[in-house]
Amino acid sequence: MSFRSELKEFLMRGNVVDMAVGIVIGAAFGKIVTSFVNDILMPPIAMLFGDHKFDELKLVLREGVIQGDEVVREAITWNYGAFIQAVVDFLIVGIAIFMVIKAINKMKRKKAEAPAEPPAPTKEEVLLTEIRDLLRVK
């Protein structure tokens, strides 16, 4: 089997295509969640802290030194606002994925709980049943 045909077979498998779709949708969902957190959720929280942008909250560990237009030494900061914002992003994505997985598992359980139809009788069973019924009549 050639490399090209092997690659085509691999890429066209159902699992690989499903995974690719999941990754694309997940990336788009991640952008939506990031926008929600950055643009909707965090501004009111930042107002409570008296800052305009929550992700800019930081603790300065060492001040930077600037002489004229030149930065002599960069400031060292602990950017806890950006970290908290990333944690909120993660929590929202995690909760959303949990809810989707929970719904999928619930649907699988319902499908598994549904009683399976008994298999159709074989020709031998049908014939034996007819013989039994004929013998009962006599």
Side-chain angles (χ1 to χ4, degrees):
M1 188 177 257
S2 72
F3 176 78
R4 184 176 181 189
S5 61
E6 231 179 304
L7 179 64
K8 182 179 177 182
E9 181 183 331
F10 172 75
L11 292 177
M12 290 303 142
R13 276 189 183 153
N15 294 344
V16 174
V17 173
D18 291 345
M19 184 178 68
V21 169
I23 289 170
V24 170
I25 298 238
F29 181 69
K31 289 180 182 180
I32 291 170
V33 168
T34 299
S35 176
F36 172 75
V37 171
N38 292 344
D39 304 327
I40 306 296
L41 187 63
M42 286 304 181
I45 294 172
M47 265 182 28
L48 294 175
F49 286 95
D51 209 25
H52 296 287
K53 293 194 102 196
F54 194 80
D55 64 340
E56 292 176 1
L57 291 175
K58 58 188 165 192
L59 176 65
V60 178
L61 301 174
R62 185 179 76 189
E63 293 287 338
V65 177
I66 301 174
Q67 291 180 349
D69 290 339
E70 186 180 337
V71 176
V72 176
R73 185 174 69 189
E74 292 282 331
I76 297 175
T77 59
W78 187 37
N79 302 323
Y80 64 90
F83 174 74
I84 292 171
Q85 195 159 343
V87 169
V88 171
D89 279 355
F90 173 77
L91 290 175
I92 290 174
V93 170
I95 290 168
I97 289 173
F98 171 75
M99 298 303 282
V100 168
I101 299 294
K102 186 175 179 178
I104 289 170
N105 288 340
K106 187 175 182 180
M107 288 189 308
K108 283 183 181 178
R109 267 188 256 121
K110 281 185 181 178
K111 192 180 281 187
E113 290 173 4
E117 293 184 27
T122 64
K123 289 181 181 180
E124 289 177 339
E125 291 173 333
V126 171
L127 184 59
L128 289 171
T129 304
E130 289 175 4
I131 293 171
R132 181 197 66 202
D133 292 341
L134 287 173
L135 289 174
R136 279 189 187 162
V137 172
K138 287 185 179 181

